[in-house]
Amino acid sequence: MSAETGRTIETTGAAHTEALGRAVGEVAEAGLYLALDGELGGGKTTFVRGLAAGLGAAARVASPTFVIMREYCGRLPLYHCDFYRLEHGGDIAELELDACLERGVVAAEWASLFEPPRGARVLAVHFEWTGDEARRVTMTAHCERTRKLLAGIKL
Ligand SMILES: Nc1ncnc2c1ncn2[C@@H]1O[C@H](COP(=O)(O)OP(=O)(O)OP(=O)(O)O)[C@@H](O)[C@H]1O
Ligand SMILES: [Mg+2]
C-alpha cells in the first residue's frame, strides 16, 4: 500500500492512541466519515476521545454503545455512533448520517457492519491488539480528500 493511501502506527498506550485521534481531529473537515473497526477493547472509543479533543469539544467522550449515537460540539459537530447494537434490531436510517455529514464529522464504531452513506469521505481506522498496552492502528483513505487529509496529519 502506498504511503498516501495508508498509514500504520504502533501505539504504545491509550494516551498514544488518543493523541492519534487528536491529530485527525485537528485537520478534520465536514463530510469526514471515520470507519472504526477492530476487536473489542482495540481502542476505538479511546481514539474518538482524542478526535473530539482535536475538534475542540470540551466534553469527555463516553462509549455510545447504549445510546447508539452521541453528539459533541466543537469546531465542527462530531457524531459518535456504535453499530454493534444496531445490528440487533436498530435502524441505521434513523441516524440520518447524510445530514450529520453535511454538518460535521461522523465516527462509527463497528463500521463494517453497515455500508457508509453514499458520498461519505471515508477514512477507515483499524485497531489490532499487539500487546497489553500496544495496538497496531492502520488508517486507510478511501477517496482523494481523505488521502490528502491523511498525508496532512502530524504524527
Ligand atoms: N495502545 C492503546 N491504545 C488504545 N487503548 C489502549 C492501549 N493500551 C491499552 N489500552 C486500553 O484498552 C482499552 C481500549 O478500550 P476502548 O473502549 O477504547 O476500545 P473499543 O475498541 O472502543 O472497544 P469496544 O469494541 O468494546 O467498543 C482501554 O481500557 C485502554 O485504556
Ligand atoms: Mg468502544
Side-chain angles (χ1 to χ4, degrees):
M1 192 182 291
S2 82
E4 19 168 1
T5 57
R7 292 175 84 169
T8 299
I9 297 100
E10 309 279 345
T11 68
T12 54
H16 193 180
T17 296
E18 206 171 315
L20 192 57
R22 178 188 284 264
V24 173
E26 282 167 358
V27 297
E29 47 189 44
L32 175 64
Y33 183 90
L34 287 149
L36 311 176
D37 280 291
E39 50 215 330
L40 215 69
K44 301 178 290 297
T45 301
T46 302
F47 179 92
V48 175
R49 202 161 277 149
L51 181 71
L55 280 164
R60 172 146 180 100
V61 167
S63 174
T65 305
F66 299 105
V67 293
I68 301 180
M69 181 186 272
R70 286 184 201 271
E71 180 177 351
Y72 297 92
C73 298
R75 168 174 69 78
L76 294 167
L78 168 65
Y79 302 93
H80 181 200
C81 42
D82 192 320
F83 292 166
Y84 190 80
R85 209 172 69 114
L86 262 189
E87 201 201 6
H88 307 283
D91 183 2
I92 194 168
E94 281 177 14
L95 297 182
E96 301 184 323
L97 292 175
D98 290 308
C100 295
L101 287 167
E102 274 175 31
R103 294 192 290 267
V105 174
V106 170
E109 299 196 30
W110 301 97
S112 60
L113 293 173
F114 292 92
E115 285 295 313
R118 202 182 290 268
R121 294 174 186 145
V122 177
L123 181 66
V125 190
H126 189 257
F127 298 82
E128 285 168 273
W129 185 293
T130 51
D132 279 353
E133 296 288 314
R135 304 288 188 274
R136 181 175 300 126
V137 185
T138 304
M139 299 195 280
T140 309
H142 287 220
C143 68
E144 191 54 35
R145 286 293 275 268
T146 51
R147 238 190 302 279
K148 283 194 178 131
L149 184 137
L150 192 53
I153 293 169
K154 298 180 201 77
L155 301 174

